[in-house]
Amino acid sequence: RIAAAVALLFGHAVAFVLGMNAEPPLFATLLATHAVLVAATLALAWRTEMHSLALWSVALTSITTLGAHAATPQRAFTFAVVLYALYMLYPLLLGARAKRSLHPYLAAIIASASFFFYGRDAMLDAGLGYMIGVLPVAQAIVLLLLLFRLLRIEPPDARQLGRLAIVAGTALAFITAAIPLQLDKQWITIGWALEGAALIWLFRRIPHRGLVVWAAALLIAVFVRLMFNPAVLGYHPQAHRAIFNWYLYTYLVSAASFFAAAYWSPRAWKRSIGAACAMGTILLFALLNIEIAHFYSTGPTLTFNFLSSSLAQDLTYTMGWAIFAVGMLIAGIMLHTRIARVAALVLLLVTILKCFLHDLARLGGLYRVASLLGLAFALVLVGILLQKYVMSKPTPG
């Protein structure tokens, strides 16, 4: 067995050297030789259960593909994809015969990584850079097929979470790479937000902590990009299209992803659920203010004027904040979330103070008197709500 394995691996090295020195460069002969050597090595690993041979073979094949001098990008892509397909078929066909071995799947992952770089270079040389994202997405689909195959052959109570997680994580890594390769600007943020929520959903099927860490990193990146990146407001020229613009779907989809992640998280993760809900709510509140500022902006860029704007804009902010606070209060009452109720009442109090001490203070005469009476009434209402929904102790269920 060892002698046969050494002979096959040595055959890879010999074919590589001959292919490097061949004039003119060989293609069909060299590809057929390496394909036969790979198939024979994997067949030997299958028969003898020496699955580590697949790792040695994929390392030599990666070097061989790098040294293959193909005359055209199409030939270079064909050379790489044929050898890549053999390593992906090996664990798929092996199935339960792999038992608890990681090597067949690790070989498929290494082959996927090396093929990505070869395939990307071939597509760029062929002028297909405009659809480069198709490559990692296709590889992710193949890895997901491998993942589903693993889920079907392993009983739920005897699954190797590490093996499942490395295959699932690699598939999602290709999707993560595809997003910035193919998309730009706000689409990168949307893609990462959806992927973060999908990772939390996947954690329900494959409870591996690595998936949660990855999801948290993606969602935090989304929140930072939307809240602390000033460039996000200048991704597109101001079209002055009220409400139905790119701000709406970008922030709405991202906020919905945070709420979905909170919904799919285990109920024991109270702090994580609260953090996800809080970030989603902050994104919705930011969207509200962005839409108001966008509606009143007249220049080429978005400007925020909370204290130096017109009375109409000031009152629009105030009304928007009040409606948002009431909606958050209703949600907190229905979901029995005390922190949401507290935050809603704090925002409502700030809104009331802004309305009566800033907005209506710009008026005179009886309007100012009416504003003071309204301020007193609103503060009494806030006090009642505080006593009823915040300060009262919850009764035992």
Side-chain angles (χ1 to χ4, degrees):
R1 297 176 181 180
I2 297 177
V6 171
L8 288 171
L9 296 176
F10 184 72
H12 274 293
V14 172
F16 171 69
V17 173
L18 293 177
M20 289 285 291
N21 298 323
E23 290 293 341
L26 301 175
F27 174 70
T29 303
L30 188 62
L31 176 58
T33 301
H34 283 292
V36 170
L37 288 171
V38 169
T41 304
L42 297 179
L44 179 63
W46 185 322
R47 185 174 182 82
T48 62
E49 295 188 355
M50 296 172 57
H51 299 300
S52 58
L53 283 177
L55 293 178
W56 290 98
S57 176
V58 74
L60 290 173
T61 304
S62 299
I63 298 174
T64 298
T65 308
L66 180 64
H69 297 292
T72 62
Q74 291 77 10
R75 287 190 171 187
F77 189 86
T78 303
F79 193 99
V81 76
V82 169
L83 302 181
Y84 163 69
L86 292 173
Y87 289 106
M88 298 306 299
L89 286 172
Y90 179 56
L92 282 172
L93 298 177
L94 193 60
R97 300 179 186 88
K99 299 180 180 177
R100 302 184 69 82
S101 176
L102 177 64
H103 294 139
Y105 302 92
L106 196 56
I109 289 170
I110 295 173
S112 299
S114 61
F115 173 70
F116 170 73
F117 292 103
Y118 303 136
R120 183 195 62 176
D121 292 341
M123 290 182 69
L124 292 176
D125 292 339
L128 299 176
Y130 64 92
M131 55 180 296
I132 195 66
V134 173
L135 176 64
V137 169
Q139 290 187 265
I141 292 173
V142 175
L143 286 167
L144 288 175
L145 291 176
L146 186 58
L147 175 65
F148 292 139
R149 173 73 165 150
L150 263 177
L151 291 172
R152 293 191 64 180
I153 64 177
E154 289 185 338
D157 56 345
R159 286 174 177 169
Q160 282 188 281
L161 296 182
R163 186 168 64 179
L164 288 169
I166 194 172
V167 176
T170 306
L172 292 167
F174 278 109
I175 296 175
T176 305
I179 292 170
L181 282 176
Q182 189 65 46
L183 306 176
D184 61 350
K185 297 179 179 177
Q186 77 273 15
W187 294 108
I188 297 177
T189 306
I190 292 174
W192 285 352
L194 293 174
E195 185 183 355
L199 280 168
I200 298 297
W201 173 86
L202 183 62
F203 178 79
R204 301 178 66 179
R205 300 292 302 274
I206 306 172
H208 192 278
R209 291 281 180 174
L211 299 177
V212 178
V213 173
W214 200 328
L218 286 171
L219 292 175
I220 290 173
V222 169
F223 185 78
V224 171
R225 282 176 63 90
L226 292 178
M227 293 301 301
F228 302 103
N229 178 25
V232 72
L233 300 177
Y235 279 165
H236 300 285
Q238 291 293 100
H240 298 293
R241 181 180 299 172
I243 301 176
F244 298 102
N245 45 46
W246 71 271
Y247 298 115
L248 181 66
Y249 65 77
T250 300
Y251 281 82
L252 269 184
V253 172
S254 300
S257 298
F258 278 95
F259 293 131
Y263 178 76
W264 286 323
S265 296
R267 297 301 96 186
W269 296 2
K270 294 182 178 180
R271 291 185 178 180
S272 300
I273 292 173
C277 291
M279 287 190 282
T281 304
I282 292 172
L283 289 179
L284 290 179
F285 187 65
L287 173 63
L288 171 66
N289 289 276
I290 288 172
E291 290 288 2
I292 295 173
H294 179 268
F295 182 82
Y296 286 99
S297 294
T298 56
T301 59
L302 189 68
T303 56
F304 293 93
N305 298 312
F306 291 110
L307 299 177
S308 60
S309 58
S310 63
L311 180 60
Q313 187 172 356
D314 274 342
L315 292 177
T316 305
Y317 279 122
T318 303
M319 292 174 61
W321 292 3
I323 295 172
F324 190 89
V326 171
M328 190 161 54
L329 179 61
I330 294 173
I333 294 172
M334 294 179 62
L335 299 175
H336 307 287
T337 306
R338 185 176 184 181
I339 190 171
R341 299 195 298 266
V342 173
L345 291 175
V346 169
L347 178 59
L348 186 60
L349 179 60
V350 171
T351 303
I352 292 170
L353 292 175
K354 176 183 180 298
C355 174
F356 293 105
L357 299 181
H358 174 73
D359 301 343
L360 298 184
R362 299 167 65 177
L363 302 176
L366 294 177
Y367 292 105
R368 182 172 297 181
V369 175
S371 69
L372 293 176
L373 292 175
L375 173 61
F377 176 77
L379 290 176
V380 170
L381 178 62
V382 170
I384 294 173
L385 294 174
L386 280 171
Q387 184 178 7
K388 184 174 179 61
Y389 295 110
V390 177
M391 300 180 66
S392 60
K393 295 182 180 180
T395 57

